[in-house]
Amino acid sequence: MREPVELRRQRILSVVESRGAVKVSVLAAELDVSVVTIRRDVEELTRAGRLRRGHGVARPVREAQPSTAVPAPRSEEPGADGGAVALVVPERHSYLYETLHGARTVLEESGMRIALHIAPQPDGAERPLVERALADGARGLLIAPRWRNARSEELDYGWLADLRVPTVLMERRPRPGSALHALDSVCSDHWYGTYLAVEHLVSLGHRRIVLAARDDSPTARSIRAAFTEIAAARPEVEDWSVVLSSPKAVPGPGPDSPAAGGTAAVQAAAPPAPATDDRTALDLAALLRERGATAAVLHGDVDALMLVQRLAESGVEVPRDCSVVAYDDVVAALGSTPLTAVAPPKAEIGRAAAELLLQRLSGAVGASGPVRRTELLPTLKVRGSAQVLTPPIE
């Protein structure tokens, strides 16, 4: 999905404000957009008084001026020694950009400088960015690794555990007992978010539910595992299945991919659902008919909106013929049918992570206290894409 314009411009401001003057070509490379696009953004930000434009560079509105006066010491203030907080998030990831801006708000209010690093798509892209940030003197690290599969996650455990600066993971929960188990982290409780989705549908009378979910992030894997546990434990749920929401929703062949590209996991009493070939688009309408399902939980938002469009093309109307709950709530409200959605507290995750990191950096009493593994609860935004199940007329 294309990144929203305002979000991209906020990222430009973050980079320029943290580094000072930055070349337009550098911004284009880091944000993975064209120079023409960045130039247009800089012009608009300059017109709004948020940046200053030079020849091929973007400058902050206020730049430090030389002074003959001796400044008063400010050793008690965060960032007074010139070090910044490195903030590392994946490119083109709207969900985590909301987390990024929550963290940014707290850091800017504290007076802490921010060094923003956008990690490209390949596995392991975060490590060289972190090493560069530390070489530049970063005092602390906020990071949300992409972790497309369990293997890439475990490969990061060693070097992240060996960092010598305070580090907080955002929206990531390392495997229990791993080298990162004792690293500070702030994450959404995705088990509870999945519970909200299932509980809402069950309360409306739905007894046969499909989860169409991604499998290329820690969030996706948490949702799939939680749905399997919750649906199997609910006596009201007569039949359930798990399939891939998109042919691109897996990290690729390997031990972490679902069997046969997304074989459904089903309740023991139910007949096995057909395997979903990950090379072809999911025919959700056909699956609903085959399972007799009346409701679906769809992760993430973009896949959910596309699947709802395909349902309409197949003559299945939401919510008349199928009730839908999306998971992520980044763009779920923007479809022609606004989707009821589970909304993880994305910005609050960033704020809580930044506050924890600032405490670790403060040197105050208790700053080096016990490791914290904080979980924040998602909420359910009801918008009408799920309705009470009407029994068929006999």
Side-chain angles (χ1 to χ4, degrees), residues 23-381:
K23 290 183 179 180
V24 168
S25 59
V26 171
L27 288 169
E30 291 194 12
L31 275 62
D32 194 25
V33 294
S34 70
V35 170
V36 172
T37 297
I38 294 295
R39 189 176 294 124
R40 186 184 305 121
D41 288 340
V42 170
E43 289 174 355
E44 288 299 322
L45 290 168
T46 299
R47 189 175 295 113
R50 302 170 76 184
L51 282 183
R52 292 189 301 131
R53 182 163 58 95
H55 183 64
V57 299
R59 302 178 184 279
V61 174
R62 298 181 183 84
E63 290 186 295
Q65 300 296 324
S67 172
T68 56
V70 177
R74 300 189 301 163
S75 59
E76 75 281 4
E77 295 185 12
D81 63 357
V85 163
L87 218 164
V88 181
V89 295
E91 68 171 339
R92 300 186 184 280
H93 202 306
S94 299
Y95 180 108
L96 288 174
Y97 288 161
E98 292 192 36
T99 302
L100 157 68
H101 288 297
R104 176 192 170 203
T105 299
V106 170
L107 295 172
E108 288 182 341
E109 288 175 353
S110 76
M112 180 69 72
R113 287 200 308 114
I114 303 167
L116 176 63
H117 298 271
I118 308 298
Q121 294 278 349
D123 290 343
E126 290 85 3
R127 183 173 185 174
L129 296 179
V130 171
E131 290 173 347
R132 184 189 313 162
L134 297 181
D136 289 341
R139 303 174 59 210
L141 173 66
L142 292 173
I143 184 169
R146 189 179 300 276
W147 285 351
R148 288 172 57 83
N149 54 47
R151 175 63 176 162
S152 65
E153 176 179 337
E154 290 176 0
L155 288 174
D156 282 345
Y157 283 174
W159 67 267
L160 277 172
D162 288 339
L163 295 179
R164 294 293 181 262
V165 298
T167 299
V168 180
L169 286 172
M170 300 185 299
E171 200 59 294
R172 298 291 182 255
R173 177 71 74 236
R175 176 173 51 80
S178 70
L180 291 189
H181 190 106
L183 187 70
D184 285 327
S185 61
V186 181
C187 185
S188 298
D189 184 343
H190 293 300
W191 187 96
Y192 182 73
T194 307
Y195 168 81
L196 289 177
V198 174
E199 178 68 20
H200 182 60
L201 293 171
V202 168
S203 73
L204 296 174
H206 297 279
R207 300 295 181 259
R208 305 176 76 85
I209 305 171
V210 169
L211 169 68
R214 302 187 68 82
D215 190 41
D216 56 358
S217 73
T219 297
R221 294 188 288 277
S222 295
I223 293 168
R224 290 164 66 92
F227 181 86
T228 299
E229 176 186 340
I230 293 165
R234 290 297 296 258
E236 304 95 328
V237 178
E238 299 171 2
D239 183 272
W240 56 271
S241 57
V242 178
V243 294
L244 290 176
S245 57
S246 163
K248 297 180 180 179
V250 290
D256 306 305
S257 301
T263 301
V266 297
Q267 196 171 11
T276 300
D277 186 343
D278 65 359
R279 296 166 298 179
T280 59
L282 170 64
D283 188 345
L284 183 58
L287 178 63
L288 293 172
R289 287 192 293 269
E290 184 157 354
R291 306 297 304 181
T294 60
V297 180
L298 306 178
H299 171 257
D301 280 7
V302 174
D303 290 341
L305 292 173
M306 293 178 67
L307 287 171
V308 168
Q309 288 173 192
R310 291 190 201 129
L311 286 176
E313 293 165 1
S314 299
V316 179
E317 288 190 22
V318 173
R320 186 194 68 187
D321 304 313
C322 176
S323 289
V324 167
V325 176
Y327 200 107
D328 275 358
D329 200 38
V330 177
V331 293
L334 303 181
S336 56
T337 300
L339 302 181
T340 292
V342 175
K346 298 174 282 292
E348 288 79 4
I349 292 290
R351 283 193 280 269
E355 288 167 356
L356 176 53
L357 183 64
L358 288 175
Q359 182 183 12
R360 298 298 192 208
L361 293 170
S362 68
V365 175
S368 59
V371 170
R372 298 184 186 177
R373 292 167 60 86
T374 304
E375 286 192 330
L376 304 184
L377 299 187
T379 57
L380 184 71
K381 302 294 182 66

